[in-house]
């Protein structure tokens, strides 16, 4: 199993540009989520999904869209990038039941200039 | 508002000693609490979960306690080694009251084990 994969690993955007951060998991996990991590702020939940076709907002959803058309994929879209969205983005998946253990991807480091 | 607090300052421990990290929370009654380890440039890695009706959980050299009255969890690493140096995060299920929809994380404590 590859686990949770994220692409790209690094990205530089100009203010106003849009892009999609990709996240995929091959563990057949029901739950997936997106976090951003900023120095001094810790990890903050952006959006999450409890299954295909179902998404919901987390703590900091503004400026981001998500969709979950398949169990495997959970892309995060930045509609119009702003410097405040400069951050490291982590995708995570969680199996149904058990320890609710979150499996994190390696992260995407995004810089918006 | 709901808040999770971890000691934001780095914790320096001598190799072989027990490291104890603290996680305090307010204004919430989580169904469970988790601890993660994060190394620089990597995603967090799950270590342990403790449920609200459990007082203590152990895994090898790791021990977690959960006091729902004090709203506090303690994370212990016994016989610490330099390889244990990392940032340790605690996380609670602030969003769903028991599910796996998403977690609220503390800011983490940077642990340094000195040889």
């Amino acid at each position: 199993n590859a686990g949770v994969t994220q692409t790209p690993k690094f990205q530089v955007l100009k203010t106003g540009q849009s892009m999609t951060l990709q996240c995929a998991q091959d563990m057949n996990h029901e739950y997936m989520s997106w976090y951003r991590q900023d120095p001094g702020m810790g990890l903050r939940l952006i959006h999450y999904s409890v299954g295909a076709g179902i998404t919901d907002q987390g703590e900091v959803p503004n400026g981001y869209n998500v969709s979950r058309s398949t169990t495997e994929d959970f892309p995060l879209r930045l509609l119009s990038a702003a410097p405040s969205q400069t951050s490291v983005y982590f995708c995570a998946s969680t199996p149904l039941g058990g320890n609710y253990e979150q499996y994190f991807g390696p992260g995407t480091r995004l810089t918006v200039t | 508002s709901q808040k999770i607090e971890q000691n934001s300052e780095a914790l320096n421990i001598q190799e072989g000693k027990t490291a104890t990290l603290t996680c305090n929370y307010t204004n919430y009654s989580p169904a469970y609490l988790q601890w993660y380890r994060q190394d620089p440039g990597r995603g967090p890695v799950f270590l342990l979960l403790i449920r609200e009706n459990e007082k203590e959980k152990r895994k090898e050299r790791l021990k977690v306690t959960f006091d729902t009255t004090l709203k506090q969890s303690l994370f212990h690493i016994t016989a610490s080694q330099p390889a244990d140096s990392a940032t340790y995060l605690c996380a609670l299920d602030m969003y769903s009251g028991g599910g796996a929809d998403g977690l609220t994380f503390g800011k983490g404590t940077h642990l340094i084990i000195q040889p």
Side-chain angles (χ1 to χ4, degrees):
Chain A
N1 284 351
V4 179
T5 58
Q6 291 184 239
T7 55
K9 196 164 178 62
F10 300 96
Q11 183 71 49
V12 178
L13 288 178
K14 293 188 187 309
T15 298
Q17 287 184 317
S18 62
M19 79 158 295
T20 299
L21 307 186
Q22 301 292 344
C23 174
Q25 52 97 3
D26 61 358
M27 298 173 284
N28 203 31
H29 289 171
E30 291 281 342
Y31 303 121
M32 296 186 74
S33 42
W34 275 102
Y35 295 85
R36 60 177 289 174
Q37 188 171 40
D38 303 292
M41 297 295 294
L43 281 159
R44 291 182 292 168
L45 183 67
I46 305 172
H47 285 285
Y48 62 96
S49 168
V50 301
I54 306 169
T55 64
D56 209 342
Q57 298 180 350
E59 180 185 357
V60 288
N62 292 341
Y64 307 96
N65 271 0
V66 292
S67 59
R68 184 96 180 273
S69 56
T70 66
T71 299
E72 294 77 21
D73 300 297
F74 191 42
L76 178 73
R77 296 183 188 84
L78 280 71
L79 307 173
S80 177
S84 61
Q85 294 179 305
T86 293
S87 187
V88 180
Y89 291 84
F90 289 102
C91 178
S93 72
T94 307
L96 186 65
N99 271 340
Y100 302 121
E101 169 181 350
Q102 302 236 341
Y103 293 77
F104 283 85
T108 294
R109 183 173 294 274
L110 175 68
T111 303
V112 183
T113 60
Chain B
S1 62
Q2 301 153 350
K3 201 161 71 165
I4 303 173
E5 290 182 349
Q6 294 185 256
N7 191 339
S8 59
E9 295 185 9
L11 182 62
N12 283 272
I13 299 292
Q14 200 71 28
E15 181 178 5
K17 303 289 187 185
T18 296
T20 298
L21 286 66
T22 303
C23 176
N24 295 297
Y25 60 93
T26 59
N27 299 331
Y28 194 70
S29 297
Y32 61 84
L33 184 148
Q34 296 181 337
W35 284 90
Y36 288 78
R37 169 184 172 140
Q38 187 174 24
D39 292 289
R42 294 181 173 270
V45 175
F46 172 82
L47 296 174
L48 280 168
L49 174 145
I50 187 163
R51 299 182 189 278
E52 60 179 338
N53 59 349
E54 297 175 319
K55 295 287 187 193
E56 182 179 298
K57 188 72 80 69
R58 291 176 186 261
K59 178 182 175 183
E60 298 172 354
R61 294 184 296 110
L62 308 180
K63 185 178 85 171
V64 172
T65 63
F66 195 10
D67 189 325
T68 54
T69 300
L70 291 179
K71 294 188 182 294
Q72 179 182 80
S73 175
L74 298 179
F75 177 81
H76 307 272
I77 305 176
T78 58
S80 59
Q81 305 165 0
D84 295 326
S85 299
T87 296
Y88 291 85
L89 310 171
C90 73
L92 285 75
D93 64 318
M94 294 287 201
Y95 288 94
S96 61
D101 311 19
L103 299 172
T104 295
F105 283 81
K107 295 177 184 178
T109 296
H110 184 43
L111 176 65
I112 301 167
I113 306 298
Q114 296 176 334

